[in-house]
């Protein structure tokens, strides 16, 4: 490790790190304020599980449709501005979805929110990686942990609003306004300059830790053929998608399953999603240390086993406390999957810098797109309890594909 890597980050770099953390926090909190409202919206619109699943799939559909344009916007306007602009428009879309009086308006608003969320997601990760290069070590997982804190905060805000009898309009307007102000303040402290500026990491030869996502080639990977690179990339997409399948189960169905199938109160039903993202936060906080000690492969497969067994037992013996714990186990188990897949993809040989990361980020959203209607159709044909078997299934995917991840280094 060079002296450059050990240097202390400049004050501007530390401020930028806080600013990016704020952007991740607001991104997690905004959508989480809407999720516990889904059962009310579903009831008010008078739709079944299949129609509901198709409607909420509009959010990932918007993200997939707009996702590839995010890079163009980032190069044109800068990652910080795109992240903040996307945050403002995401809040507007979520407010419109909460006030929708028809399925078409609800789905259309979610489509807009999803498209803007995709811009924010790519832009804030891009800016986070700029800050990471300034630090010379991996800090990207900490940003994803902050996202989880934001999601817990947003879900808790919604649960409190429901318990206090606050209607959707004032609640979601307050949420959008608060996090819009936070994002605008954060913009002031983001890194200046063009996105092509790679900072001291490139100019001084500083590469940071292996797997930090800065585009450095992995010393553990030998040059691979194009065919092998394609297979590895496909496996990484499946691993990341498995993580999104579990996250979507919490976002789209946890509250509904607890309230409708297990007859939990509206405020208590929100605890399923909060438990998932809360445990996911814990998993991301300890994830870096676990990976350093045991390797990505062991951590991913162990987490997949925890998610599959925990949620499997919760579905086999359905109770409100057991189900909340099951969602918590699932969140903890998949905590490191998406960052791990992104880092591995960014270091694949034979691809242009950033290409693997972009493809994994874009294609993993298929999990968010396909999961809601699939679970909804299964739920209408059988039960939502059967539909939620998607969570143990996602764990099995990681157990099978986890071999492409790195094992512990020497």
């Amino acid at each position: 490790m060079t002296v450059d890597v050990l240097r202390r980050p400049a004050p501007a770099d530390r401020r930028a790190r806080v600013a990016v953390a704020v952007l991740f926090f607001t991104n997690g909190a905004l959508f989480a304020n809407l999720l516990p409202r889904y059962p009310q919206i579903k009831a008010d619109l008078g739709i079944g599980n299949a129609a509901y699943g198709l409607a909420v799939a509009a959010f990932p559909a918007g993200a997939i449709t707009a996702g590839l344009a995010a890079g163009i916007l980032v190069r044109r306007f800068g990652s910080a501005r795109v992240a903040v602009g996307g945050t403002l428009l995401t809040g507007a879309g979520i407010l419109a979805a909460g006030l929708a009086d028809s399925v078409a308006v609800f789905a259309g608003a979610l489509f807009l929110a999803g498209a803007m969320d995709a811009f924010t997601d790519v832009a804030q990760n891009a800016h986070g990686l700029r800050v990471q290069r300034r630090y010379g070590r991996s800090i990207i997982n900490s940003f994803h942990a902050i996202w989880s804190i934001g999601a817990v905060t947003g879900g808790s805000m919604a649960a409190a609003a429901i318990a206090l009898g606050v209607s959707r309009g004032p609640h979601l307007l307050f949420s959008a306004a608060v996090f819009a102000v936070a994002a605008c303040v954060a913009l002031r402290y983001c890194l200046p300059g063009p996105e092509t500026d790679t900072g001291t990491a490139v100019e001084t030869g500083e590469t940071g830790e292996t797997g930090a996502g800065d585009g450095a080639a992995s010393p553990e990977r030998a040059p691979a053929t194009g065919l092998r690179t394609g297979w590895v990339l496909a496996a990484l997409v499946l691993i990341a998608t498995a993580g999104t399948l579990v996250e979507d189960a919490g976002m789209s169905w946890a509250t509904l399953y607890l309230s409708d199938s297990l007859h939990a109160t509206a405020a208590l039903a929100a605890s399923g999603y909060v438990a998932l993202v809360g445990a996911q936060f814990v998993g991301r906080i300890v994830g870096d240390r676990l990976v350093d000690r045991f390797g990505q492969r062991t951590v991913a497969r162990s987490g997949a086993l925890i998610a599959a067994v925990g949620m499997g037992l919760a579905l086999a013996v359905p109770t409100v406390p057991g189900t909340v714990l099951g969602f918590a186990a699932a969140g903890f188990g998949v905590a490191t999957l998406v960052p791990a897949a992104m880092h591995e993809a960014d270091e694949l040989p034979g691809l242009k810098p950033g290409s693997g990361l972009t493809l994994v980020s874009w294609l993993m959203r298929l999990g968010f797109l396909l999961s809601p209607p699939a679970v909804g159709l299964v739920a209408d044909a059988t039960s939502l309890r059967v539909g939620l078997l998607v969570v143990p299934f996602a764990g099995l995917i990681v157990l099978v594909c986890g071999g492409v991840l790195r094992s512990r280094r020497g």
Side-chain angles (χ1 to χ4, degrees), residues 315-343:
L315 294 173
V317 186
T319 64
V320 172
T323 299
V324 172
L325 289 175
F327 277 111
F332 182 83
V334 304
T336 64
L337 293 186
V338 171
M342 287 182 172
H343 290 168

Side-chain angles (χ1 to χ4, degrees), residues 82-104:
V82 173
V84 173
T87 297
L88 302 183
L89 292 175
T90 298
I94 288 172
L95 176 61
L99 298 176
D101 57 1
S102 70
V103 177

Side-chain angles (χ1 to χ4, degrees), residues 207-231:
T207 58
E209 296 178 0
T210 300
D214 59 2
S218 167
E220 295 189 13
R221 286 199 189 278
T225 64
L227 180 60
R228 172 167 170 74
T229 297
W231 280 113

Side-chain angles (χ1 to χ4, degrees), residues 19 22-23 26 80 83-85 87-88 178-188 190:
V22 170
L23 292 176
T26 59
V84 173
T87 297
L88 302 183
V178 167
F179 296 122
V181 170
C184 289
V185 172
L187 176 62
R188 182 177 180 181
C190 289

Side-chain angles (χ1 to χ4, degrees), residues 28-272:
L30 270 174
F31 194 47
N33 267 276
L34 177 65
L35 295 175
R37 295 288 192 171
Y38 273 179
Q40 296 175 340
I41 296 173
K42 180 175 178 291
D44 290 346
L45 297 179
I47 56 178
N49 287 324
Y52 166 79
L54 288 171
V56 298
F59 186 91
I64 290 174
T65 301
L68 291 181
I72 299 174
L73 292 176
V74 166
R75 288 190 293 271
R76 175 66 177 84
F77 299 105
S79 56
R81 291 176 180 173
V82 173
V84 173
T87 297
L88 302 183
L89 292 175
T90 298
I94 288 172
L95 176 61
L99 298 176
D101 57 1
S102 70
V103 177
V105 174
F106 178 57
L110 287 180
F111 185 91
L112 169 64
M116 298 303 103
D117 180 75
F119 294 158
T120 301
D121 186 38
V122 171
Q124 69 186 9
N125 274 285
H127 206 79
L129 289 172
R130 284 188 66 191
V131 176
Q132 177 172 275
R133 286 192 288 270
R134 298 290 188 96
Y135 269 66
R137 57 185 172 85
S138 177
I139 59 173
I140 195 68
N141 281 325
S142 68
F143 294 137
H144 286 268
I146 294 296
W147 183 95
S148 297
I149 295 178
V152 171
T153 302
S156 300
M157 288 172 61
I162 293 170
L164 294 173
V166 180
S167 61
R168 293 196 297 271
H171 161 219
L172 295 175
L173 178 61
F174 174 78
S175 169
V178 167
F179 296 122
V181 170
C184 289
V185 172
L187 176 62
R188 182 177 180 181
Y189 299 99
C190 289
L191 293 175
E195 296 305 308
T196 53
D197 173 26
T198 56
T200 57
V202 172
E203 293 171 350
T204 66
E206 172 186 309
T207 58
E209 296 178 0
T210 300
D214 59 2
S218 167
E220 295 189 13
R221 286 199 189 278
T225 64
L227 180 60
R228 172 167 170 74
T229 297
W231 280 113
V232 172
L233 184 61
L236 293 174
V237 169
L238 287 175
I239 291 171
T241 301
T244 65
L245 288 175
V246 175
E247 289 184 23
D248 179 74
M251 289 193 302
S252 300
W253 300 103
T255 303
L256 198 63
Y257 177 64
L258 284 163
S259 62
D260 287 4
S261 301
L262 301 184
H263 310 293
T265 63
L268 182 58
S271 63

